[in-house]
Amino acid sequence: MVTMQKTLKTYATRVGLGLVGAAALTTMATPFLAGAAPVHAAELGSSHVSCPAGTTAKYDPEYGVPASLIGEDSKTKTKNAGTAYSSIQCYDASGQLVAYGNDAILYKFPASSLAPLGEKLYQQNCASCHGTKADGVLPTYSAGAYPALRGLGPATINFWITTGRMPAADPKEVQAARKQPRLNPFQANAIAAYVNSLEPATPGIPSVNVKDANLTAGQTLYALNCAACHTITGGGDALAQGTYAPSLHVATPTQVAEALRIGPGNMPVFSGNLTDDEVRDITAYVTESLAKPTDIGGVGMGGLGPVAEGFIALALGIGILMLVSFWVGERQ
Amino acid sequence: MTATATPRTKRQKKEAAGPYGNVGKTVDVLDERLGFAKGGRVFMDKIFPDHWSFMLGEIALYSFVVLLVTGVFLTLYFVPSQRLMTVPMDFPYKPLRGDTVSEAFYSTINMSFNVRCGLLMRQMHHWACDIFVASIVVHMARVFFTGAFRKPREANWLVGVTLLILAITNGFLGYSLPDDLVSGTGIRIADSIMLSIPVIGSYVSFFVFGGTFPGDIVIERFFIIHVLLVPGAIMGLVGAHLGLLVRQKHTQFPGKGRTERNVVGSPMFPVFIFKTQGFLFMVLGACALLGALAQINPVWQFGQYYAANISYAVQPDWYMGFLDGLLRVMPAWEFNNFGYTIPLEVTFPAVIFPGIVFNIAMAWPWIEQQFTKDKQMHHLLDRPRDVPHRTAFGVAFFALLAILFIASSTDVLANFFHVSLNFVLILMRVLCFVVPVIAYPVTYFICIELQGGGSLMGKRKRANVVVRTEEGEYIANPSDPRPGDAHEELDATPVPTFIIDEAVVVEAEEVVSEGGVKVAAR
């Protein structure tokens, strides 16, 4: 039954994707998934996820959220899909939403007390490009346009900083490369708190409950949604004009979920068409199966497929056999 | 020898058994009833030239043996069916548990995880296939560059090219069988290629798939073609290839005692048969080592094929690379006229170009005759340098195919070298034209240069001893040749008596000893 449900869901996704094409994924695929097994608050009695200490949990069957937080999210009212329309909402004493999510993923907002520290770090590391008020730099003022960071949500800030892509080594390069992060996770959190204090927005920083993930669903969804750019083995590959889909083998679960929800760079935003359950499954598949592939057949050769295999066959296989014939045969 | 006396001692028994012991006795028994001694003697005395490059074709023969043996093993476990089923929940590879897959895909991953030696056999089969096609190409290059295809061997050249086409075809069909994401993508491209054939394209596609792609029958059909029809044709043609080789005798490089009228080399028994058997085990060993140590086509990581899914960085096996490469570098030229679409961006690279390539390959013996007007019999091979135009053409041709082969991994190259994919693509387009055009004259002039130093070939360089005379003049004297390099007349080594005894010498008069090697008349 579970399998059938999963299969039906998968096919619904496939039909949806096939019809509308990649460009319209986010908005158009929503109707196909909106009714797909929503998790109701009443079912959450055995929840593994709990709100942060000192906050009040609210399990709201209507997924009601304060109007101030709806903003852009009102376009996609898919429940449990990375927006505050989620089955678990955690409020602090002052009624501020500090976390939301469900069994699969809990999205946390960084503590607002970190904002003053974050402001200092922001001015040191980010302001020269993104502007002192995080409202970006217009193309007319500089060689390139640096995006406004206000209203992007803490997950965006956290993703770019913890993957080391920001601060960028060369702000003019086509695509910021992943590198050793300059700021530690705590500092990234602080900057996220500061930017979020300017204009509160979702998504929060996701913590993924990969333990309960369904790797099979993850594999299916990965093949459908991700393999076209990141390759089926997750090694990444070149895209047009110097851009590329990076390797996924080093990404942490939080980073994978963030990327799916915010769509960094060329990547589409998978907010409307993937539920939190599905994001969790993909995340688990990426960080468990792809990062540590099951290479039972010998040396894996980096998942490069027939290119590496052909190289081995020509260089080692036939090459060594030619040397053998040279050894066995006469040379004159 | 007195056969009448009853042998008593061990020694006597041995002597009574004759020079070949019990084996000889058994052969004797068979010969008296079937009379095969004469044919067997001819077979055992068959002379094979010893040059190492003549053994390249044997790599193909023996890797084909590996393919047959491992392939039979695989058919015991493979289920050629696209019917859907559910992977058991206790399957060892977690991400596929409970997944809905085809029986073809399940039987493939099942034999990889659950069948003893199954994965080894699968991998050996795949590696042997890569080596099989590679050895055919290398062997073909040897035949081409030494002019072994010339009269009277044009027919065998045709058989060889046909074998190459069949090998590539069967490799593709086998690659398509597991029904994983990568192989399904390959079938999808094959479908597009079929559709791009003018006039009959859509009918061909409908015929192959029993309807529209992907249908539910293509794996069954590919399976029976892969395991029965094409291997049967390959076996028949290999028989013809070897039969023609024996009938027409092997070519040889010019050298001491070698003429157009004889064959110099080792006899089948006791020399060649053991050499070639050893080589068989070398090829088996290479396939087994690769199959055991290097992973190939881990289909469980790719998952079941669905028509809506696609993975980036998917390439065909190496021997289809030149087609994939040309598909990539070809500009998107598509014409819509009078209600018809001519998808030249697919038709040219995937239908017209391979047609040209294989037609040139087939017709090469006659194409060359048009230029050389050479209608003579040739049993002595050319050295590539001595036929500079043919060598230059061959190098340019292979250079073009090599560039197209490299172009089939534009994305991997761009990613590996951190350059723009667009740059790599345009570079490949340019190189397609530039490299062959440069390769031809460069090869030609290298050949001409090499012709000058031909006589020193195969000899080690001799040191020059520089001497200053009393007048202060410097003279460079070549030192004595290293042992074995000087020209020397060889003593005639008597052929071992167990090969030529009196009885045989009468029958095989043409077997004479000359300079220590056996010589057979043509």
Side-chain angles (χ1 to χ4, degrees):
Chain A
M1 186 60 204
V2 172
T3 310
M4 220 173 108
Q5 212 176 41
K6 193 220 88 185
T7 314
L8 284 176
K9 241 162 79 181
T10 312
Y11 275 101
T13 320
R14 268 189 200 117
V15 172
L17 290 189
L19 286 176
V20 300
L25 284 185
T26 318
T27 48
M28 297 285 288
T30 309
F32 293 97
L33 288 158
V39 184
H40 284 289
E43 300 168 15
L44 286 173
S46 63
S47 171
H48 304 291
V49 177
S50 52
C51 283
T55 61
T56 318
K58 179 184 160 198
Y59 302 111
D60 184 354
E62 298 301 318
Y63 304 100
V65 283
S68 65
L69 268 169
I70 293 176
E72 287 294 302
D73 298 340
S74 59
K75 282 186 190 163
T76 58
K77 296 211 173 179
T78 312
K79 317 293 191 241
N80 287 323
T83 69
Y85 291 96
S86 291
S87 41
I88 301 175
Q89 293 154 15
C90 313
Y91 296 92
D92 66 5
S94 62
Q96 188 80 22
L97 183 69
V98 292
Y100 62 89
N102 49 56
D103 257 0
I105 301 178
L106 192 69
Y107 297 86
K108 293 176 195 155
F109 292 101
S112 51
S113 57
L114 289 172
L117 170 65
E119 183 173 8
K120 277 185 199 136
L121 289 165
Y122 178 88
Q123 301 301 348
Q124 286 167 5
N125 295 290
C126 321
S128 60
C129 289
H130 293 282
T132 50
K133 297 193 162 56
D135 46 6
V137 173
L138 294 174
T140 44
Y141 294 129
S142 76
Y146 303 112
L149 302 179
R150 284 165 174 263
L152 292 182
T156 307
I157 313 294
N158 188 61
F159 175 85
W160 286 93
I161 295 177
T162 58
T163 57
R165 291 188 167 88
M166 288 293 149
D170 173 10
K172 289 197 183 68
E173 69 188 340
V174 180
Q175 183 171 332
R178 186 183 183 110
K179 58 184 189 294
Q180 186 66 31
R182 188 160 111 195
L183 301 164
N184 64 32
F186 175 75
Q187 293 169 318
N189 243 6
I191 295 177
Y194 165 67
V195 176
N196 201 46
S197 72
L198 299 173
E199 187 179 331
T202 58
I205 299 165
S207 61
V208 188
N209 179 20
V210 285
K211 259 197 322 229
D212 296 343
N214 180 348
L215 283 179
T216 308
Q219 198 276 340
T220 311
L221 289 162
Y222 179 86
L224 182 63
N225 292 293
C226 319
C229 291
H230 290 284
T231 81
I232 192 69
T233 51
D237 208 350
L239 303 173
Q241 304 291 7
T243 59
Y244 57 92
S247 166
L248 304 177
H249 296 161
V250 286
T252 65
T254 295
Q255 287 165 356
V256 175
E258 281 171 344
L260 282 161
R261 287 300 182 215
I262 66 169
N266 287 306
M267 187 168 156
V269 181
F270 289 88
S271 258
N273 67 330
L274 292 177
T275 65
D276 281 336
D277 283 20
E278 290 169 332
V279 167
R280 173 200 59 191
D281 294 344
I282 293 175
T283 302
Y285 181 69
V286 168
T287 52
E288 288 173 22
S289 299
L290 290 186
K292 299 179 274 287
T294 308
D295 286 334
I296 54 171
V299 182
M301 297 183 289
L304 277 176
V307 174
E309 291 161 8
F311 183 77
I312 300 278
L314 294 180
L316 279 180
I318 194 70
I320 286 180
L321 285 173
M322 282 172 76
L323 285 178
V324 168
S325 61
F326 190 70
W327 173 44
V328 173
E330 298 291 326
R331 282 146 224 184
Q332 283 188 34
Chain B
M1 207 169 296
T2 52
T4 45
T6 319
R8 285 171 193 284
T9 61
K10 213 175 173 184
R11 191 189 175 86
Q12 276 175 338
K13 275 182 191 167
K14 217 176 167 185
E15 276 175 2
Y20 296 107
N22 286 331
V23 177
K25 233 172 157 181
T26 315
V27 172
D28 224 30
V29 167
L30 286 172
D31 181 42
E32 280 162 11
R33 285 154 185 80
L34 302 170
F36 66 54
K38 193 173 175 189
R41 169 53 74 190
V42 171
F43 173 73
M44 281 159 68
D45 278 345
K46 178 97 189 133
I47 299 294
F48 286 88
D50 284 323
H51 196 263
W52 68 272
S53 68
F54 301 159
M55 306 188 81
L56 299 176
E58 285 168 48
I59 304 177
L61 185 64
Y62 297 140
S63 52
F64 185 61
V65 171
V66 179
L67 284 171
L68 286 180
V69 174
T70 54
V72 167
F73 182 93
L74 298 184
T75 57
L76 303 178
Y77 296 96
F78 181 69
V79 183
S81 161
Q82 279 162 279
R83 200 178 321 156
L84 291 181
M85 58 168 290
T86 305
V87 177
M89 289 309 286
D90 60 351
F91 191 76
Y93 187 59
K94 240 170 134 188
L96 290 174
R97 283 178 189 170
D99 207 355
T100 307
V101 298
S102 70
E103 289 183 342
F105 182 72
Y106 178 70
S107 58
T108 309
I109 54 170
N110 186 51
M111 82 170 83
S112 305
F113 280 89
N114 289 335
V115 173
R116 193 173 298 258
C117 278
L119 182 60
L120 177 67
M121 288 291 166
R122 245 197 72 217
Q123 299 201 139
M124 275 179 73
H125 193 70
H126 206 140
W127 283 121
C129 172
D130 278 7
I131 290 174
F132 179 52
V133 187
S135 57
I136 292 178
V137 171
V138 173
H139 170 61
M140 194 175 157
R142 197 281 296 170
V143 169
F144 178 86
F145 286 115
T146 59
F149 55 82
R150 291 172 300 171
K151 189 180 173 186
R153 295 182 178 78
E154 302 99 325
N156 224 8
W157 170 261
L158 284 184
V159 172
V161 177
T162 313
L163 278 169
L164 173 64
I165 296 170
L166 286 175
I168 291 176
T169 310
N170 220 30
F172 172 75
L173 291 171
Y175 186 79
S176 303
L177 290 181
D179 204 17
D180 61 292
L181 180 59
V182 177
S183 76
T185 308
I187 302 181
R188 184 77 187 88
I189 294 171
D191 179 42
S192 305
I193 293 170
M194 285 178 224
L195 287 171
S196 79
I197 305 172
V199 186
I200 59 166
S202 50
Y203 299 99
V204 171
S205 169
F206 264 56
F207 175 70
V208 169
F209 291 95
T212 49
F213 175 86
D216 54 6
I217 191 106
V218 70
I219 299 281
E220 279 112 301
R221 289 182 172 178
F222 278 12
F223 177 72
I224 208 66
I225 301 172
H226 177 75
V227 303
L228 179 70
L229 299 184
V230 181
I234 290 180
M235 271 195 271
L237 285 174
V238 166
H241 205 60
L242 296 179
L244 280 170
L245 164 82
V246 170
R247 179 83 189 126
Q248 297 177 329
K249 301 221 163 59
H250 207 291
T251 52
Q252 59 189 351
F253 279 108
K256 188 164 61 182
R258 296 169 186 164
T259 70
E260 289 279 7
R261 307 199 49 77
N262 66 5
V263 187
V264 179
S266 309
M268 173 64 112
F269 188 87
V271 180
F272 185 75
I273 196 160
F274 295 113
K275 204 183 238 187
T276 195
Q277 247 179 39
F279 201 47
L280 164 68
F281 293 127
M282 290 286 189
V283 176
L284 291 181
C287 292
L289 271 180
L290 280 174
L293 300 178
Q295 177 166 277
I296 188 163
N297 206 18
V299 288
W300 58 90
Q301 293 177 8
F302 306 152
Q304 167 71 34
Y305 177 66
Y306 289 105
N309 289 6
I310 183 75
S311 167
Y312 200 11
V314 167
Q315 275 84 13
D317 270 345
W318 77 265
Y319 41 84
M320 303 279 286
F322 74 102
L323 290 176
D324 188 45
L326 191 55
L327 270 171
R328 287 177 186 225
V329 299
M330 180 77 187
W333 290 343
E334 184 177 289
F335 303 105
N336 291 288
N337 288 317
F338 311 112
Y340 294 99
T341 301
I342 300 173
L344 211 57
E345 80 268 45
V346 181
T347 314
F348 178 75
V351 182
I352 298 174
F353 180 77
I356 293 172
V357 166
F358 287 114
N359 273 304
I360 289 180
M362 288 262 190
W364 183 260
W366 293 277
I367 294 174
E368 195 182 286
Q369 264 180 28
Q370 289 301 310
F371 287 102
T372 59
K373 308 289 178 207
D374 179 4
K375 301 262 162 75
Q376 298 295 310
M377 288 279 203
H378 291 284
H379 299 297
L380 284 181
L381 295 171
D382 292 326
R383 294 196 64 174
R385 68 183 58 171
D386 295 332
V387 200
H389 276 297
R390 181 207 292 146
T391 306
F393 179 84
V395 169
F397 196 73
F398 271 105
L400 172 63
L401 292 181
I403 291 294
L404 293 176
F405 170 67
I406 293 169
S408 72
S409 53
T410 43
D411 53 329
V412 176
L413 291 174
N415 200 39
F416 190 80
F417 292 108
H418 298 293
V419 288
S420 164
L421 179 63
N422 306 52
F423 167 74
V424 176
L425 188 70
I426 290 165
L427 180 71
M428 288 299 162
R429 281 179 183 164
V430 173
L431 291 182
C432 278
F433 293 97
V434 171
V435 170
V437 170
I438 293 178
Y440 192 103
V442 167
T443 314
Y444 182 83
F445 286 114
I446 289 176
C447 286
I448 298 292
E449 281 300 310
L450 282 174
Q451 281 174 12
S455 57
L456 291 173
M457 208 51 191
K459 308 268 165 100
R460 282 165 289 187
K461 250 186 190 165
R462 287 158 67 170
N464 278 324
V465 181
V466 180
V467 185
R468 198 178 78 161
T469 61
E470 285 177 4
E471 289 77 30
E473 183 189 7
Y474 286 95
I475 300 171
N477 295 321
S479 62
D480 290 337
R482 290 157 191 267
D485 283 356
H487 176 79
E488 49 187 315
E489 290 298 326
L490 299 177
D491 295 331
T493 313
V495 176
T497 49
F498 59 85
I499 293 178
I500 301 182
D501 51 35
E502 299 91 308
V504 180
V505 166
V506 183
E507 278 178 21
E509 271 179 330
E510 73 274 27
V511 178
V512 291
S513 171
E514 183 189 288
V517 284
K518 278 185 59 105
V519 178
R522 279 195 190 276

